[in-house]
Amino acid sequence: MREKIKKLLSELNKGLIGKEKIIKLGLLAVLSGENLLLIGPPGTAKSEISRRLTEILMEESYFEYLLTKFTTPEEIFGPLSIRKLQKDKFERNTESYMPTSKVVFLDEIFKANSSILNTLLTILNEKVFHNGIKKERTPLLTLIGASNELPLGNEELSALYDRFLIRSIVGYISDDRIEELLEISSDKMEIPYDLKITEEELEKIQKEALKVEISENIKNIIKEIRQEYNRIFKEDIHENISDRKLVKIVRLMKISAYINGRRKIDYSDVVLLSNCLWNNPENAEKVTKIILDTVKKNIAREGNEIV
């Protein structure tokens, strides 16, 4: 699996410049069943990354949409069934819409209005779509949201924002890589059949990852990171780490360790917290520094103990 993931990442990055880390996070989001939020301006390949991620699955199922304040539930969840309405039943035809898709990309997701927002939360929380009086299980693996602004201070949207465990800031490529961009081929990327992830492999990854061990040392590092985070952001109402988020983060680290061929969480998995802990993008660098400083301190401590 480790070799397969390595080749898969290589294919996913073809034709993209400077998006290696985001591709890794996206692949991890799909394999772990978590949601990914991409924050950045238009024209930074957010939708292209999302489309590529759906191609890693043997059974592709993808839905994407650009939200505005005028977007209606029918555009996202499917039109009402006229035939059912004639029988006094309120039910949507959901085929090929969000409720029947495994990977979903919603651009400008925080422009969702209340009628869409409430349904999105139910799908993200319970993986259930309320279709009239019926509860339908959704096959959703990951929702990839994109926005160039965040709903900080907007209580109605904060619950939706909180459902994105993995977050990444996406920017334009740096000046020193412009030449690479100009030389990109326009050929469509295609994932080789033998590299696609089957449903059985996906289930195995999530099942086997539960067996990955977390040492006392790693537990202490996470504890230290949380304590330092709480100290630095004690006056910031937008920054907090809930118990639920910590549990999800540990699971994410276990899946990261497993697909990299490890049976124990190590420091490289802990670094994932730099894309999970911050709420305000302006604090991303501070959070990353907290994590790296804590890891470096523990590595130094280990070295002294060995000596």
Side-chain angles (χ1 to χ4, degrees):
M1 180 55 67
R2 182 182 183 182
E3 189 61 29
K4 184 172 184 175
I5 294 295
K6 184 178 178 181
K7 291 179 180 178
L8 195 51
L9 286 171
S10 177
E11 293 293 331
L12 287 169
N13 277 295
K14 285 183 178 178
L16 291 177
I17 306 298
K19 300 295 188 290
E20 294 85 1
K21 181 179 178 181
I22 298 168
I23 287 290
K24 282 183 179 180
L25 291 171
L27 179 58
L28 183 59
V30 174
L31 297 180
S32 63
E34 291 295 343
N35 304 310
L36 169 67
L37 181 64
L38 303 178
I39 305 160
T44 48
K46 296 188 291 294
S47 58
E48 175 62 20
I49 290 169
S50 303
R51 293 185 195 114
R52 291 185 177 212
L53 289 172
T54 195
E55 292 191 29
I56 71 173
L57 302 173
M58 190 66 75
E59 298 177 8
E60 294 180 25
S61 176
Y62 180 67
F63 177 80
E64 71 169 74
Y65 212 82
L66 170 63
L67 294 178
T68 72
K69 61 181 179 180
F70 302 111
T71 304
T72 64
E74 285 75 19
E75 296 171 77
I76 308 299
F77 309 117
L80 289 173
S81 169
I82 303 300
R83 184 170 56 85
K84 295 291 178 64
L85 276 177
Q86 290 172 342
K87 298 179 181 178
D88 295 327
K89 292 183 178 180
F90 186 94
E91 200 168 305
R92 297 187 183 278
N93 293 320
T94 58
E95 189 62 36
S96 299
Y97 287 86
M98 181 180 175
T100 58
S101 303
K102 292 183 178 180
V103 178
V104 174
F105 175 64
L106 295 180
D107 202 359
E108 295 300 338
I109 188 166
F110 298 117
K111 287 189 168 62
N113 54 51
S114 296
S115 58
I116 292 174
L117 177 63
N118 293 334
T119 306
L120 282 178
L121 286 174
T122 303
I123 293 176
L124 294 179
N125 288 342
E126 308 163 31
K127 299 291 176 70
V128 167
F129 174 63
H130 291 275
N131 195 357
I133 61 172
K134 294 195 304 183
K135 284 186 177 182
E136 297 177 353
R137 295 292 301 175
T138 70
L140 183 68
L141 290 174
T142 185
L143 171 62
I144 302 171
S147 180
N148 57 14
E149 57 184 1
L150 293 182
L152 297 175
N154 185 328
E155 291 187 11
E156 186 180 25
L157 292 172
S158 60
L160 177 62
Y161 182 41
D162 191 53
R163 295 302 179 270
F164 291 93
L165 179 66
I166 310 172
R167 299 159 183 180
S168 182
I169 299 169
V170 187
Y172 298 117
I173 68 168
S174 57
D175 291 341
D176 60 343
R177 304 195 70 177
I178 288 291
E179 287 188 17
E180 295 178 65
L181 182 66
L182 299 178
E183 294 173 359
I184 285 180
S185 168
S186 59
D187 294 341
K188 184 180 182 297
M189 183 221 68
E190 291 186 8
I191 301 293
Y193 184 83
D194 62 319
L195 291 183
K196 289 180 179 286
I197 303 291
T198 66
E199 193 170 320
E200 291 75 19
E201 286 176 319
L202 198 58
E203 289 177 0
K204 182 180 179 182
I205 288 170
Q206 297 186 3
K207 183 179 179 180
E208 292 297 314
L210 296 175
K211 302 175 184 177
V212 171
E213 297 176 18
I214 176 168
S215 66
E216 288 301 318
N217 182 41
I218 295 295
K219 289 178 185 177
N220 288 332
I221 288 175
I222 295 172
K223 182 179 177 181
E224 288 177 34
I225 289 171
R226 187 185 187 190
Q227 289 174 337
E228 185 64 8
Y229 174 99
N230 288 336
R231 185 186 70 79
I232 289 179
F233 298 115
K234 63 182 178 181
E235 303 296 333
D236 192 332
I237 61 173
H238 299 306
E239 295 295 347
N240 58 78
I241 306 173
S242 66
D243 295 344
R244 178 181 62 190
K245 180 180 282 190
L246 271 181
V247 171
K248 281 178 168 285
I249 285 172
V250 170
R251 179 175 174 274
L252 191 70
M253 289 192 295
K254 286 187 174 186
I255 289 177
S256 171
Y258 177 75
I259 62 177
N260 281 286
R262 298 189 298 272
R263 285 294 177 182
K264 290 184 178 181
I265 293 174
D266 70 10
Y267 294 130
S268 63
D269 303 310
V270 174
V271 175
L272 281 171
L273 272 66
S274 62
N275 287 97
C276 298
L277 295 188
W278 53 265
N279 289 322
N280 188 337
E282 294 179 2
N283 294 327
E285 289 187 13
K286 290 181 183 178
V287 169
T288 300
K289 186 176 186 305
I290 291 171
I291 294 163
L292 294 180
D293 286 351
T294 305
V295 168
K296 287 176 184 176
K297 183 173 68 175
N298 278 271
I299 290 174
R301 188 186 301 159
E302 278 187 1
N304 290 334
E305 287 176 358
I306 292 172
V307 173

